[in-house]
């Protein structure tokens, strides 16, 4: 076996989670290398320049909160944060084929009965069962109109998921904790408190973040190093990782910062029960369809705002559509408009496999009447996220506890990434940092 390198920690996966984890380890004096399968660091965070457009492959933006782990990394890496244009505050929800502006048109969305039913909620005292479904909780507390017309859209926007399957406490831990303490969903939403979070991107697009992390890590990031197998420590206390080129690498500790599925495949030969727990993680595949239009295609003016979401009962081809060039004007050439549709998700995974032409036509047809578009797009791009968004469905918290239990039998093995404790960019960064701090503590103790 060629002992090519012997980092103390091998981080598998060079997405945001792996990069942050390795950077935190190294900043704490622990030697760590990142093994990334592809030729680029950043995973789903990827900004593409094409035909004068700046197109995001994964996240369009993030929620920026002062004092968060992500905020600390932004300061450490001296990243230029880009706030959205003022016009982009407007958010819309589709109802009966029309876009309603929220919160202004909330009464129209819910109707008088829906509003009355929801407002009664603040009079009661909510008991929260974090293991119930998101839909069951909101339906019982705020009524069917809120559940079907508002919550469904909100869940689609974040999870591309099914509210009847997502687990309340795992999918929305902050909100669950706030409802637990204020005893009301409405008081939790409108009662103030909690840190202010603002939508933002970076000056050069979302990829500024992984690029800066990769630069900070330098040669510790090993691209095109797909880890194909892992051998747990024998008597010499060392893990052996074998990469696709047949090379073996040794490490004292391993962090798997890949999806749970990949982690499960690597671990199954040595711990089938752990492999099975990891493989059981459901995901929602998603296609993003980016359309470029000339401004003249919108006789009433290009859409302004963050975008719109479509609740399931609207039976729209798209889950929602972002308005990137309203949010961040430099994402489209002058005189052009960029729109970015989400298609598929947990409830319509088959749509992700449709051909490019069908996806583009389906999105354009869905948008035409809603946004008053009179001409076809002049350019488009289809991206398929087959691994998609991990879904924290009923039983997620129990499964995580079982995974943690099995990990106790593998000292020196850690898991991080969006499969476990949060899918958003800030949550992924926070979890990776937490895992690195704990591991550094155990290695240097
Ligand atoms: C379409 C889309 C839109 C999103 N929009 C937003 C948004 O607007 N705001 C927000 O906050 N979040 C958003 N998210 C979520 C967020 O971007 C992700 O949850 C987060 O970036 C995931 O980071 P990660 O490091 O956990 O995983 P990944 O980015 O998936 O990284 C995993 C890495 O592991 C590598 N890998 C896999 N197998 C191996 C192996 N065997 N050996 C070595 N390397 C391997 C992969 O190549 C990849 O680079 C979005 C996600 C998607 C998909």
């Amino acid at each position: 076996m060629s002992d090519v390198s012997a980092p103390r920690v091998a981080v598998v996966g060079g997405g945001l989670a792996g990069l942050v984890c390795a950077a935190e380890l190294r900043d704490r004096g622990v030697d760590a290398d990142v093994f990334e399968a592809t030729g680029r660091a950043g995973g789903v965070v990827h900004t593409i320049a094409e035909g004068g457009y700046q197109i995001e492959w994964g996240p369009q933006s993030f929620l920026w909160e002062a004092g968060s782990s992500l905020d600390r990394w932004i300061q450490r890496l001296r990243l230029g944060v880009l706030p959205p244009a003022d016009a982009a505050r407007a958010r819309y929800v589709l109802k009966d084929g029309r876009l309603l502006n929220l919160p202004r048109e909330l009464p129209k969305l819910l109707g008088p009965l829906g509003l009355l039913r929801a407002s009664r909620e603040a009079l009661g005292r909510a008991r929260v069962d974090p293991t119930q479904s998101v839909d069951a909780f909101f339906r019982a507390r705020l009524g069917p109109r809120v559940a079907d017309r508002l919550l469904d859209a909100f869940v689609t926007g974040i999870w591309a998921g099914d509210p009847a399957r997502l687990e309340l406490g795992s999918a929305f831990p902050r909100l669950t904790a706030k409802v637990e303490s204020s005893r009301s969903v409405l008081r939790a939403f409108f009662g103030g408190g909690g840190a202010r979070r603002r939508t933002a991107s970076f000056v050069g697009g979302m990829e500024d973040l992984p690029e800066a992390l990769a630069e900070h890590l330098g040669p510790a990031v090993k691209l095109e190093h797909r880890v194909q197998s892992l051998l747990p420590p024998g008597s010499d206390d060392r893990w052996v990782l074998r990469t696709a080129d047949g090379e073996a690498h040794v490490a004292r500790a391993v962090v798997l910062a890949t999806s749970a599925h990949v982690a499960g495949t690597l671990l199954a030969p040595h711990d089938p029960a752990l492999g099975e727990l990891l493989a059981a993680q459901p995901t929602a595949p998603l296609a993003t369809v980016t359309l470029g239009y000339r401004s003249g295609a919108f006789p009433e003016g290009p859409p302004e705002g963050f975008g719109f979401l479509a609740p399931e009962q609207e039976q729209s081809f798209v889950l929602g559509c972002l308005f990137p060039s309203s949010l961040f004007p430099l994402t489209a050439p002058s005189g052009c408009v960029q729109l970015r549709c989400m298609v598929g998700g947990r409830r319509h995974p088959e749509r992700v496999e449709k051909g490019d032409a069908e996806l583009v036509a389906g999105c354009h047809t869905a948008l035409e009447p809603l946004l008053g578009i009179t001409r076809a797009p002049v350019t488009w791009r289809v991206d398929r996220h087959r691994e998609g968004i991990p879904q924290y469905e009923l039983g997620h918290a129990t499964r995580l506890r079982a995974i943690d239990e099995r990990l106790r039998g593998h000292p020196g093995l850690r898991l991080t990434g969006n499969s476990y404790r949060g899918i958003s960019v800030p949550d992924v960064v926070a979890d990776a940092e937490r895992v690195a701090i704990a591991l550094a503590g155990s290695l240097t103790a």
Side-chain angles (χ1 to χ4, degrees):
M1 183 185 76
S2 61
D3 190 342
V4 170
S5 57
R8 295 185 74 193
V9 180
V11 178
V12 182
L16 215 43
L19 295 171
V20 167
C21 187
E24 185 66 48
L25 284 165
R26 290 186 88 88
D27 286 2
R28 285 171 182 266
V30 177
D31 181 20
D33 277 357
V34 179
F35 295 86
E36 163 56 39
T38 68
R40 186 185 57 79
V44 303
V45 186
H46 183 26
T47 308
I48 299 155
E50 202 172 275
Y53 290 85
Q54 188 189 77
I55 299 169
E56 295 295 350
W57 197 72
Q60 190 72 45
S61 58
F62 61 94
L63 284 175
W64 187 20
E65 179 181 335
S68 64
S69 301
L70 175 57
D71 183 44
R72 283 194 299 278
W73 277 103
I74 289 171
Q75 316 298 333
R76 272 152 96 170
L77 299 167
R78 297 172 190 277
L79 286 169
V81 171
L82 186 67
D86 279 351
R89 288 219 185 90
R91 286 163 196 252
Y92 300 87
V93 168
L94 183 60
K95 163 123 196 313
D96 299 333
R98 272 197 56 213
L99 295 183
L100 299 180
N101 181 318
L102 291 188
R104 192 159 46 79
E105 292 184 289
L106 192 63
K108 264 194 205 151
L109 181 69
L110 300 181
L113 281 180
L115 273 184
L116 188 68
R117 169 71 179 80
S119 60
R120 286 208 322 253
E121 194 265 350
L123 303 174
R125 295 181 69 72
R127 278 191 52 244
V128 187
D129 171 7
T131 66
Q132 72 189 127
S133 81
V134 173
D135 180 76
F137 175 72
F138 282 90
R139 193 170 290 278
R141 292 299 308 171
L142 296 167
R145 287 172 190 235
V146 170
D148 293 332
R149 298 179 186 178
L150 187 60
L151 172 83
D152 192 286
F154 180 58
V155 167
T156 295
I158 301 174
W159 290 89
D162 180 350
R165 293 197 250 194
L166 287 169
E167 185 169 76
L168 180 68
S170 300
F172 295 104
R174 277 184 191 233
L175 181 66
T176 306
K178 272 181 99 178
V179 177
E180 261 167 356
S181 63
S182 66
R183 290 282 179 201
S184 149
V185 180
L186 294 183
R187 280 195 294 273
F189 262 119
F190 301 111
R196 188 163 165 243
R197 295 192 286 169
R198 285 167 292 167
T199 299
S201 179
F202 299 105
V203 172
M206 287 298 293
E207 198 164 341
D208 278 5
L209 176 60
E211 254 177 29
L213 283 162
E215 202 174 301
H216 184 73
L217 284 160
V221 180
K222 311 212 173 299
L223 301 177
E224 289 175 354
H225 276 63
R226 179 179 297 278
V227 174
Q228 276 192 324
S229 67
L230 274 180
L231 204 59
S235 53
D236 61 353
D237 218 19
R238 284 174 165 219
W239 290 81
V240 181
L241 294 83
R242 197 165 287 278
T243 41
D245 55 8
E247 281 185 355
H249 305 259
V250 295
R252 237 184 99 190
V254 171
V255 180
L256 295 179
T258 61
S259 67
H261 286 178
V262 171
T265 308
L266 290 171
L267 292 168
H270 317 294
D271 187 337
L274 181 54
E276 218 170 281
L277 284 163
L278 291 165
Q281 168 73 70
T283 65
L286 197 63
T288 57
V289 181
T290 305
L291 305 172
Y293 293 91
R294 298 227 192 284
S295 308
F298 303 84
E300 286 160 39
E304 286 196 344
F306 189 90
F308 75 82
L309 292 167
E312 181 66 9
Q313 63 170 207
E314 290 294 317
Q315 301 198 333
S316 169
F317 182 70
V318 302
L319 298 171
C321 175
L322 296 168
F323 306 158
S325 52
S326 173
L327 201 54
F328 304 114
L330 293 179
T331 56
S334 151
C336 297
V337 173
Q338 183 188 154
L339 301 176
R340 188 171 174 230
C341 296
M342 310 290 158
V343 178
R346 187 66 164 132
R347 291 183 284 205
H348 305 286
E350 72 293 345
R351 289 186 187 161
V352 176
E353 297 309 327
K354 288 185 185 296
D356 286 10
E358 205 179 335
L359 281 168
V360 169
C363 290
H364 174 69
T365 308
L367 299 184
E368 243 179 334
L370 301 176
L371 303 177
I373 307 177
T374 55
R375 274 183 254 154
V378 286
T379 180
W380 54 84
R381 180 187 164 96
V382 175
D383 294 301
R384 291 180 183 78
H385 298 267
R386 293 198 167 88
E387 267 210 332
I389 313 260
Q391 302 290 297
Y392 299 177
E393 296 190 346
L394 298 176
H396 183 81
T398 308
R399 205 165 48 80
L400 272 197
R401 277 195 295 278
I403 289 172
D404 284 343
E405 190 59 40
R406 297 237 42 108
L407 282 178
R408 283 202 199 110
H410 303 280
L413 173 65
R414 300 286 194 280
L415 302 172
T416 188
N418 65 2
S419 295
Y420 310 105
R421 285 163 287 263
I423 55 161
S424 72
V425 166
D427 284 349
V428 166
V429 169
D431 191 62
E433 192 184 84
R434 184 188 62 77
V435 165
I437 292 171
L439 181 57
S442 74
L443 288 174
T444 50

